[in-house]
Amino acid sequence: MDILTAIAVMALGALLLGAALGYAAIRFKVEGNPVTDKINAILPQTQCGQCGFPGCKPYAEAIASGAAEINLCTPGGDEGARKLAELLGRDYVPLACEVETEKKRVVAVIVEDRCIGCTLCIQACPVDAIVGAARQMHTVVESLCTGCELCLKPCPVECIDLRALPETPETWRWPEIRRPGIEDRRQCVEEMAAC
Amino acid sequence: MLRTLFPFPGGVKPEPHKEASAKAPIASAPLPERLVLPLRQSAGVAPLPVVRVGDRVKKGQVIAAAEQWVSASLHAPTSGKVADIGHYPLAHPSGLAAPAIVIEADGRDEWRERQPLDWQKLAPQAVRQYLQQSGVVGLGGAVFPSHVKLDANAQIEELIINGAECEPYITCDDRLMRECAAEIVSGAALLRDLTGARQTLFAIENNKPEAIRALRGAISEQHEDFIVITLPTRYPAGSLRQLVYALTGKHAPFNVLPTALGVQCFNVATVQSVWRAVAHGEPVVRRVVTVSGNVRAPKNWEAPIGMSMDALLQLSEPLSDTDGLIVGGPMMGLSLPLTDAPITKGSNCLIARSPRLFPPRPPESPCIRCTACAQACPQGLQPFELYWWSRARDFAKAADYALAECVECGCCAYVCPASIPLVHYFRFAKGELAAAAREQKMADSARSRFEFRQFRAEREKAEKAEKLAKAAAAQAAKQAETATTPLATTQDATMKSDPDHA
Ligand code: SF4
Ligand code: SF4
Ligand code: SF4
Ligand code: SF4
């Protein structure tokens, strides 16, 4: 009788454990929706949240389910909206209110002698672009940083700045030949922004 | 020679303007006081400085060393002192500055010790490394490091030595072939041995009879079986893909190197520099530059790398109405304001511009779809389509029309009756596509790091949940046990041995 109780208790424990694991497996399953993935591949992965979603993937899911427009991603810009329109066969919608047509790459820079090593920025960075350890100086790996600014706020001593990367002959591009049509479009975008 | 040529499609015949600078022998430019050496002199990765400000250097000493395979070392073009390492403007349409080493000449022009390489006793790989350390890169303009092209496993059938020099005004290769034919032939023999090529072909346009004669003479003197092929003069006969097709009938698309088709091609000046490096221990510190156009004394100058373009131009006495420079030829070169940016290994020609010689392009008018551009395109493209889509910023469509195949030769813009600067549109579109590709690569890597981060967070959560569940279960078991203990004393022994039975 007592043996049975003990076995029952053990079995219950095993069951609980199994259920917890099973639940975790379902709850945290990595979804493989092909449309969402394709949309997500177009989004710039800045993870900045400017679209109103907590990251690029959630925004991709919202687009896939039809819950969101395709013109909400500022870092993705006009090009991104066009690509999404083409992928989904939807009409191209210009960015809601975009002034900057030229995207400049910015990165976060930690002023290293002010850094207190609190690790808060590491926890905030969505793309693991910061290296450092508790009470050690932290550094942003320039080539990995997307410039999403998410690490700026959490820093208690405000030692993280944004810096525009200077143009080099390698990243320089031939300018567009300015013609009336293009200029008109820019102007109209600026007027929209002014509203 | 009795060899069928495969005429490439399209092409144009611009005024050659070559006689002026081809008449005089190559002159040696006087040594300037200051030399500015941009680290990036070739395609691939820039070498890293190995000297410090204040160091004394000798002529031919390595000042920046190649750290990667697709890279070539950089040497001091004269003896002197390292005056600065910093950013200096390049002869580039952006006018941007790039890292450079500045050398102040001491006037002695003193070589470091030079030793010929006993290359016949060395493994091909060692010779390749030696060429990399000697800073040998393509001097025809593409500045691709030469050692990379000497892969012994590539099964090279034809080795092509390019002396076509099809762009107007440029005559540096012509003069070099006339004056240094023996060194070029020796260099070709060395490259033939390194590549294992079965046949070595020299390609020269038929407007350079003296060069052809000089090379034929040097070949028979050295008892080589090289063939000199005379090409009809038609631009861009010297362009890599056109040349390979004309000589072998093999067509290399943009993403296939001719090497993959068993063809390897070197410019004559490169071949000479290979020979100077191996036979005399001289790294690439000078090159021949044609200075022509709106100048009193058009000429070819042998100038040290790093000399200011303006100083070189002054040697040929520019006329007073000179208002700019073309670096390279008039078809493919870059039109820049007068600049004191330095000569680099890739600078083959400086043309002084004047409104008389190069009148400004009439304003662009709408495309009339005359298809003249398509007939002129040596790559068989439809430039008006490329133009249309580039202009509309629909770069994906432009890519569909094989924008990547465009070699920016300028034939289409040359014939266009509507004066559309077609090549500028293509460069713009290519730049945008390249930037988009870079961004896509960054985004892909950001996504994988983001996803891994999420996976890590979830795994940590799951592990925590599991631990909690385990702790809860253990707690429950303990409670159950304490509840049953008073009654279970006699069964204790049995319980303990239970697992063994099971
Ligand atoms: S705004 Fe764009 S980059 Fe920022 S999180 Fe949303 S989709 Fe990502
Ligand atoms: S370092 Fe800061 S700005 Fe850069 S990606 Fe991370 S959180 Fe964003
Ligand atoms: S040559 Fe000029 S006008 Fe004629 S089709 Fe080409 S781009 Fe149009
Ligand atoms: S520039 Fe490009 S499109 Fe124009 S003719 Fe040359 S290869 Fe053809």
Side-chain angles (χ1 to χ4, degrees), chain A residues 96-161:
Chain A
C97 226
E98 188 211 26
V99 195
E100 265 183 276
T101 36
E102 301 290 312
K103 285 182 280 173
K104 274 244 165 11
R105 189 156 120 72
V106 291
V107 292
V109 181
I110 296 180
V111 181
E112 295 180 343
D113 47 10
R114 291 223 309 266
C115 170
I116 54 169
C118 66
T119 76
L120 289 176
C121 59
I122 295 194
Q123 292 162 44
C125 177
V127 293
D128 286 343
I130 306 180
V131 288
R135 282 184 298 282
Q136 305 286 317
M137 184 186 78
H138 287 45
T139 302
V140 177
V141 182
E142 188 187 281
S143 61
L144 302 183
C145 172
T146 63
C148 68
E149 308 187 16
L150 291 178
C151 54
L152 264 56
K153 281 235 175 70
C155 177
V157 293
E158 295 187 0
C159 73
I160 310 181
D161 296 333

Side-chain angles (χ1 to χ4, degrees), chain A residues 8-23:
Chain A
V9 167
M10 292 304 279
L12 193 78
L15 226 96
L16 257 166
L17 235 140
L21 279 175
Y23 172 68

Side-chain angles (χ1 to χ4, degrees), chain B residues 469-490:
Chain B
K470 252 190 199 154
Q475 193 71 27
K478 224 187 215 158
Q479 267 172 15
E481 223 168 82
T482 37
T484 50
T485 324
L487 304 168
T489 29
T490 45

Side-chain angles (χ1 to χ4, degrees), chain B residues 61-291:
Chain B
Q61 183 181 329
V62 176
I63 53 174
E67 305 258 311
Q68 316 246 340
W69 186 238
V70 187
S71 176
S73 296
L74 182 62
H75 305 75
T78 185
S79 59
K81 202 176 79 188
V82 178
D84 190 21
I85 299 178
H87 279 69
Y88 286 82
L90 297 180
H92 189 265
S94 66
L96 286 169
I101 299 177
V102 181
I103 290 180
E104 240 159 50
D106 60 12
R108 288 202 289 272
D109 207 25
E110 194 183 332
W111 274 100
R112 57 124 216 245
E113 207 190 317
R114 278 172 291 174
Q115 259 176 358
L117 185 76
D118 198 357
W119 61 278
Q120 266 136 336
K121 290 213 186 96
L122 289 174
Q125 179 63 14
V127 182
R128 281 204 285 279
Q129 270 163 6
Y130 177 81
L131 291 177
Q132 180 186 30
Q133 287 152 15
S134 300
V136 178
V137 301
L139 298 180
V143 288
F144 196 75
S146 301
H147 63 279
V148 181
K149 287 161 73 177
L150 290 170
D151 186 355
N153 303 323
Q155 311 247 322
I156 298 299
E157 294 271 326
E158 289 108 350
L159 174 66
I160 298 177
I161 310 296
N162 185 356
E165 197 163 55
C166 55
E167 270 231 39
Y169 287 96
I170 311 181
T171 57
C172 54
D173 287 350
D174 182 8
R175 283 308 319 185
L176 199 73
M177 287 187 282
R178 294 194 211 178
E179 296 178 32
C180 308
E183 287 186 329
I184 295 171
V185 172
S186 306
L190 182 136
L191 291 175
R192 186 246 345 256
D193 293 349
L194 284 179
T195 53
R198 281 207 232 146
Q199 203 171 35
T200 305
L201 309 169
F202 281 74
I204 309 176
E205 272 192 348
N206 59 11
N207 57 2
K208 304 177 195 48
E210 292 93 339
I212 294 172
R213 218 174 306 130
L215 274 176
R216 288 215 169 115
I219 290 169
S220 65
E221 238 165 64
Q222 300 188 20
H223 309 293
E224 295 289 358
D225 61 350
F226 302 160
I227 303 170
V228 179
I229 292 171
T230 312
L231 301 169
T233 299
R234 184 161 52 111
Y235 177 84
S239 165
L240 176 65
R241 287 175 163 77
Q242 277 62 46
L243 187 63
V244 167
Y245 180 74
L247 262 49
T248 67
K250 295 174 185 169
H251 172 69
F254 76 98
N255 49 1
V256 175
L257 281 177
T259 321
L261 305 177
V263 188
Q264 198 53 280
C265 189
F266 292 92
N267 163 274
V268 283
T270 316
V271 177
Q272 191 227 7
S273 71
V274 167
W275 184 248
R276 300 281 327 163
V278 171
H280 302 277
E282 281 177 17
V284 180
V285 292
R286 299 177 80 83
R287 72 153 297 142
V288 182
V289 187
T290 304
V291 182

